[in-house]
Amino acid sequence: MNSDELTSQLEFFRDIGVESLDVSPAAEAVCDRLDADRAPLQESLEDLDSIRADIGDCQRCKLARTRTNIVFGSGNPNAELVFVGEAPGYDEDQQGLPFVGRAGQLLTKIIESISLKREDVYICNVLKCRPPDNRNPEPDEVASCNPFLKRQLATIRPKIVCCLGTFAAQTVLQTAAPISRLRGKFFDMDGMRVIATFHPAYLLRSPDKKREVWEDMKQIRAELFRLRS
Ligand code: URA
């Protein structure tokens, strides 16, 4: 991490009200590649490349007509922690990678706030194509795309899935409950622990909510420790 990145990380900590940093060996341990001593979970019959190949030059829904690139997901294929967002925005559509715009930069800081790197985790979205003008995903688009997210999760088999924002939380948890009721607690789903927090794009508009996201991230860090011991 260079000094600019360090400054921006410390600014993020200040924004979310962190008053001291835990640099004990236990805190550093989570920095280690999280899959290092991971017990193999149920063997998956496919890998991420074959799911991507199956998506192909997808024409399954109307978003194919307006997208530039399919945004499949990126990161550690053996990640213990997966972040699921809503759908690609402009920058993601241009680059074919998830969370690379302003919200993505904030997500990177959020990940680093619990001493992880982006490369340690896996990041993807419910929808793999950008909705025009970033409008909300429509039911037929979710119906076409959600099976691929389910296959990604079944292949990675993370210990924890963190849903970013209302849409991802409602889709992954299959509920209509509002994010205010869903965030900040763990749900068990298919052998994974699922937690929801506010979307980084929402935090850019409502920075006062960063404090809650920090609380959620601390829960994730503690749960990772618990599941590893
Ligand atoms: N917002 C999302 O939900 N996903 C992205 O990849 C970028 C912004």
Side-chain angles (χ1 to χ4, degrees), residues 16-187:
I16 58 181
V18 173
E19 282 157 6
S20 65
L21 296 175
D22 181 2
V23 290
S24 63
E28 284 172 10
V30 87
C31 269
D32 298 339
R33 301 281 303 190
L34 282 176
D35 54 340
D37 60 352
R38 183 177 167 194
L41 293 170
Q42 193 161 355
E43 203 67 28
S44 175
L45 296 177
E46 60 183 355
D47 59 20
L48 291 173
D49 287 345
S50 60
I51 301 170
R52 177 65 190 88
D54 203 6
I55 291 177
D57 180 31
C58 188
Q59 305 291 322
R60 292 170 182 81
C61 84
K62 57 189 177 302
L63 295 179
R65 296 199 288 269
T66 50
R67 68 152 188 260
T68 310
N69 285 298
I70 292 173
V71 180
F72 179 65
S74 71
N76 179 356
N78 300 310
E80 289 191 332
L81 175 58
V82 171
F83 288 89
V84 179
E86 177 173 320
Y90 175 82
D91 295 298
E92 293 75 22
D93 177 61
Q94 291 294 306
Q95 296 184 40
L97 291 168
F99 282 97
V100 288
R102 275 186 73 220
Q105 287 162 19
L106 181 53
L107 178 61
T108 302
K109 289 184 195 171
I110 291 168
I111 293 166
E112 290 173 354
S113 75
I114 53 164
S115 308
L116 292 174
K117 303 191 199 77
R118 251 182 103 109
E119 312 86 80
D120 293 323
V121 305
Y122 192 85
I123 305 175
C124 58
N125 286 299
V126 176
L127 294 192
K128 311 300 186 217
C129 295
R130 181 190 183 208
D133 301 320
N134 301 337
R135 65 154 168 73
N136 287 339
E138 293 180 354
D140 61 308
E141 297 157 2
V142 180
S144 300
C145 229
N146 198 29
F148 295 109
L149 172 63
K150 287 188 171 167
R151 283 166 63 185
Q152 284 173 296
L153 294 177
T155 298
I156 299 169
R157 305 287 305 163
K159 287 184 164 64
I160 298 180
V161 177
C162 178
C163 303
L164 300 168
T166 308
F167 183 77
Q170 292 182 341
T171 305
V172 170
L173 292 166
Q174 296 179 351
T175 172
I179 185 77
S180 54
R181 275 199 35 222
L182 296 175
R183 69 150 281 278
K185 47 184 174 256
F186 283 104
F187 300 87

